[in-house]
Amino acid sequence: VSDFIAAALAKVRIEQSGSGVVCNLNKRSTRARLHEQFADWLEAGTAAGTLPAPDLLTYHYGQSANLAKQREYFRKAGDAAAASYANAAATQYYERLLDLLAPGEQPAVLVELGRVLVRAGQWDLALARYAAVHAAAGASQRERAAALW
């Protein structure tokens, strides 16, 4: 971690003020870049055998500008949360993922979100997600979606 922190601090402008040291992290692009670099560093550790929680990578990539990694990790975190019956977390991750997907990529996530909402007893919200899948699908896609349920 210290190597990452040293490299990150080298990129951050540090100012001396009357009340102490102030880091200038006000620029959103700087923060986004640092989040992405940290997530990349965590992910590289995963390849070395240490596996961080998917929600940690999801948080940092979610703060970055890397949309591909955001999509990847919001899906992984949503699936992990759903598998452990953390319905509120799964709902949040899937909703964030939907905002990042094109309409044609949304049905599978909407079905998973619908399952989570049913399990949580939020019937009306689940019905709305299933209705969105149905409305977006053509006849052949409706048959495939019915097979998923």
Side-chain angles (χ1 to χ4, degrees):
V1 176
S2 61
D3 290 339
F4 174 79
I5 293 171
L9 287 176
K11 296 178 181 179
V12 176
R13 192 173 95 213
I14 299 177
E15 301 172 354
Q16 185 72 28
S17 73
S19 61
V21 176
V22 177
C23 292
N24 184 4
L25 289 177
N26 291 332
K27 283 191 152 183
R28 183 166 174 77
S29 62
T30 301
R31 286 194 313 270
R33 202 168 44 255
L34 288 172
H35 277 288
E36 183 172 359
Q37 289 172 351
F38 186 64
D40 289 342
W41 180 80
L42 287 172
E43 200 173 36
T46 300
T50 55
L51 184 64
D55 55 342
L56 181 61
L57 286 164
T58 302
Y59 172 77
H60 288 290
Y61 278 126
Q63 299 297 314
S64 77
N66 189 334
L67 297 180
K69 289 292 187 176
Q70 286 183 24
R71 286 188 287 271
E72 176 184 350
Y73 280 101
F74 278 120
R75 180 60 192 244
K76 286 180 179 181
D79 292 346
S84 65
Y85 295 91
N87 298 325
T91 299
Q92 289 176 350
Y93 290 132
Y94 286 143
E95 291 286 356
R96 289 276 312 266
L97 176 58
L98 286 170
D99 291 339
L100 300 171
L101 297 175
E105 300 172 314
Q106 292 181 355
V109 176
L110 287 166
V111 168
E112 290 303 318
L113 177 56
R115 287 181 181 155
V116 168
L117 292 169
V118 165
R119 200 168 48 223
Q122 297 178 334
W123 312 109
D124 292 338
L125 293 174
L127 181 60
R129 299 319 183 275
Y130 290 140
V133 172
H134 189 267
S140 63
Q141 289 176 325
R142 285 190 190 109
E143 292 171 10
R144 285 192 316 196
L148 292 174
W149 298 354

